[in-house]
Amino acid sequence: MRKPFIAANWKMNTNSKSAVELATGVVKAVDGIDNVDVAACPPFVYLQSVIEAVGSDSKLAIGAQDIFYEGNGAFTGEISAEMLTDLKVKYVITGHSERRHVIGESDELINKKTHAALDAGLLPILCVGELLEERESGKTNEVVSDQVKKGLAGFTADQALKITIAYEPVWAIGTGKTATSAQAQEVHAMIRELLAQMYDAQTADQMIIQYGGSAKPENTKELMSCADVDGLLVGGAGLKADSFGEMIKITSELYASL
Ligand code: 13P
């Protein structure tokens, strides 16, 4: 059985005080839970204070929301993998839909970032997902497959095992519209089948595929009950320690009963 993995993407939220409060609140909320991996991804500027507050070996692992693919040099405004590992950051999100569609990142750039992250020992969370018009025109599988193939280009099976895929339908992000569990399961199963073709059945069976898009305590059990949904990438509901903690507890209890 795959170990569930629930991560909060704080996006461009919190401040120096509330970031530390939120992280320490999550640590308290997940105390005693060992059957779920948990992470939070604060803004870059609060990574250090959050890691200092929770400790680098805390059950709450810390991730960054983005990375640049070069090691160092004249890249104004960018943050390298080495800078993140220096702070003991564990995970890094690549290809989030807001970076794809607001900032304009390409699959090629996302692939380079994912390689830089993994090469430095960070664990990437590679996000994929279709726009509303792509879903409505029946292109979901095509779009998501293309993003998975391009995002994972050049990775071996052993490397792929260290990468979490987050399926986040863009129309469900921050809109309150969650994909139904059937919609989520259908795409997750398609991604796992694709991973089996790209690598092998055993690798595909071990890889973690998270769902993201208006995930909250009320829909956690239903989403996490899907055979191929192994975790959640949580935006809004991850900004409150009690709601995020509740999602982790629900998942822990569900998995304990399986
Ligand atoms: P919401 O949970 O706010 O819809 O955001 C999802 C997301 O984009 C997580 O990366």
Side-chain angles (χ1 to χ4, degrees), residues 82-160:
E82 287 167 27
M83 293 172 179
L84 298 177
T85 53
D86 182 33
L87 292 188
K88 309 275 186 285
V89 168
K90 184 167 178 186
Y91 292 97
V92 61
I93 297 172
T94 57
H96 191 276
S97 77
E98 286 139 23
R99 298 212 62 88
R100 290 178 187 270
H101 300 295
V102 181
I103 316 285
E105 290 194 4
S106 66
D107 286 300
E108 290 67 32
L109 176 61
I110 292 160
N111 176 252
K112 278 170 124 173
K113 291 182 171 195
T114 311
H115 274 279
L118 200 72
D119 288 350
L122 293 161
L123 300 176
I125 301 173
L126 170 67
C127 302
V128 298
E130 80 287 1
L131 297 164
L132 182 60
E133 56 266 34
E134 292 166 338
R135 172 159 286 265
E136 285 177 343
S137 56
K139 291 199 181 124
T140 299
N141 287 2
E142 187 189 320
V143 169
V144 172
S145 305
D146 197 52
Q147 290 172 340
V148 171
K149 280 189 213 149
K150 289 179 173 161
L152 291 179
F155 286 110
T156 64
D158 279 352
Q159 289 176 316

Side-chain angles (χ1 to χ4, degrees), residues 42-105:
F44 283 131
V45 287
Y46 306 131
L47 284 170
Q48 183 159 15
S49 53
V50 164
I51 290 170
E52 279 169 7
V54 304
S56 57
D57 58 353
S58 166
K59 238 183 261 172
L60 175 64
I62 302 301
Q65 298 175 19
D66 187 30
I67 188 177
F68 194 59
Y69 59 81
E70 292 285 356
N72 53 56
F75 302 100
T76 303
E78 296 297 337
I79 300 289
S80 71
E82 287 167 27
M83 293 172 179
L84 298 177
T85 53
D86 182 33
L87 292 188
K88 309 275 186 285
V89 168
K90 184 167 178 186
Y91 292 97
V92 61
I93 297 172
T94 57
H96 191 276
S97 77
E98 286 139 23
R99 298 212 62 88
R100 290 178 187 270
H101 300 295
V102 181
I103 316 285
E105 290 194 4

Side-chain angles (χ1 to χ4, degrees), residues 236-257:
L239 291 171
K240 290 208 174 82
D242 54 356
S243 59
F244 188 58
E246 183 64 23
M247 295 170 83
I248 292 152
K249 279 197 196 100
I250 292 167
T251 302
S252 171
E253 281 163 19
L254 177 70
Y255 270 67
S257 72

